[in-house]
Amino acid sequence: MIWITAVCIVAIIAAVIVFRPKEAPAQIAYDKLPRLGDANAPVKVVELGDYKCPSCKYFSQTIEPQLKKDYIDKGQVALYFSNFVFIGPDSNTAALAAQSIYHQNNDAFWKFYDVVYKNQGDEKVQWATPQFLVDLAKKEKLPVDYDLLLKDITTKKYQNEIDEHNEFARKNQVNSTPTLFINGKKLDNSMDYNAIKAAIDKAGKGE
């Protein structure tokens, strides 16, 4: 009887695992985020990042170019960016600058994304000041209105959007950056390119 009961318990546990409903993908407003690649790409990858995060710098300089070459340029993946600011007050300042540039020119956003990480300072130092960020945009000759950029930063014009991004991160138990969502599913290891590729390939098959 004990053996039969044990077998039944194991069978019940197995059934629960097999028939447990799959976790629904996170709801993401892709049309409200900066996009790199074709909006109609079958796989949508969202990076949650902080401009002061050293790991995000690695992602932008090492993994993002690989994604672009292997998937984005082929129309298979569209990459999106969402803020998750937590390192310091100037994380939010950098996010305000990026949101302003995005609303002025989506393509300029991705140039700014690259140059901010290339010029990233120490995460323990408040380096991302409004003037530094505007000067950076000017130095790179980004096609945006620099006076408007400075105004948007100082008046915190897009703070509500950053707050929404942060709320999405908290709601979906994001506790580090960068964190990727692939077709709405959170990836556990967003710094392993092989794991990213495997998840993208799986998503591309509709799995």
Side-chain angles (χ1 to χ4, degrees), residues 63-164:
I63 296 178
E64 185 263 352
Q66 291 179 298
L67 281 174
K68 191 172 185 301
K69 177 185 175 183
D70 294 342
Y71 295 101
I72 298 171
D73 288 346
K74 297 175 183 178
Q76 298 171 349
V77 164
L79 176 65
Y80 299 79
F81 184 86
S82 182
N83 296 286
F84 180 32
V85 299
F86 67 94
I87 292 177
D90 53 334
S91 295
N92 194 77
T93 306
L96 286 166
Q99 289 303 110
S100 174
I101 291 174
Y102 158 60
H103 282 284
Q104 292 191 52
N105 186 321
N106 178 76
D107 292 338
F109 168 87
W110 292 101
K111 293 178 182 178
F112 184 75
Y113 168 94
D114 288 334
V115 76
V116 166
Y117 284 122
K118 286 177 182 176
N119 290 272
Q120 185 185 74
D122 191 314
E123 63 181 313
K124 297 178 182 178
V125 177
Q126 291 190 32
W127 54 266
T129 64
Q131 195 59 56
F132 173 84
L133 297 164
V134 173
D135 288 345
L136 202 57
K138 289 180 179 178
K139 182 180 178 181
E140 292 300 310
K141 298 180 179 178
L142 298 184
V144 297
D145 183 325
Y146 306 123
D147 291 335
L148 178 59
L149 171 58
L150 181 58
K151 180 180 178 181
D152 287 348
I153 297 171
T154 55
T155 62
K156 297 187 176 183
K157 182 174 180 178
Y158 297 106
Q159 186 63 53
N160 62 322
E161 295 182 358
I162 296 169
D163 292 342
E164 289 173 2

Side-chain angles (χ1 to χ4, degrees), residues 23-83:
E23 185 177 346
Q27 296 299 306
I28 301 173
Y30 295 105
D31 60 329
K32 295 182 179 180
L33 298 175
R35 185 190 76 251
L36 183 64
D38 187 350
N40 296 315
V43 179
K44 301 184 189 304
V45 177
V46 179
E47 175 200 352
L48 274 69
D50 184 316
Y51 294 106
K52 293 193 67 176
C53 165
S55 295
C56 294
K57 177 178 180 177
Y58 175 84
F59 181 92
S60 75
Q61 296 186 332
T62 305
I63 296 178
E64 185 263 352
Q66 291 179 298
L67 281 174
K68 191 172 185 301
K69 177 185 175 183
D70 294 342
Y71 295 101
I72 298 171
D73 288 346
K74 297 175 183 178
Q76 298 171 349
V77 164
L79 176 65
Y80 299 79
F81 184 86
S82 182
N83 296 286

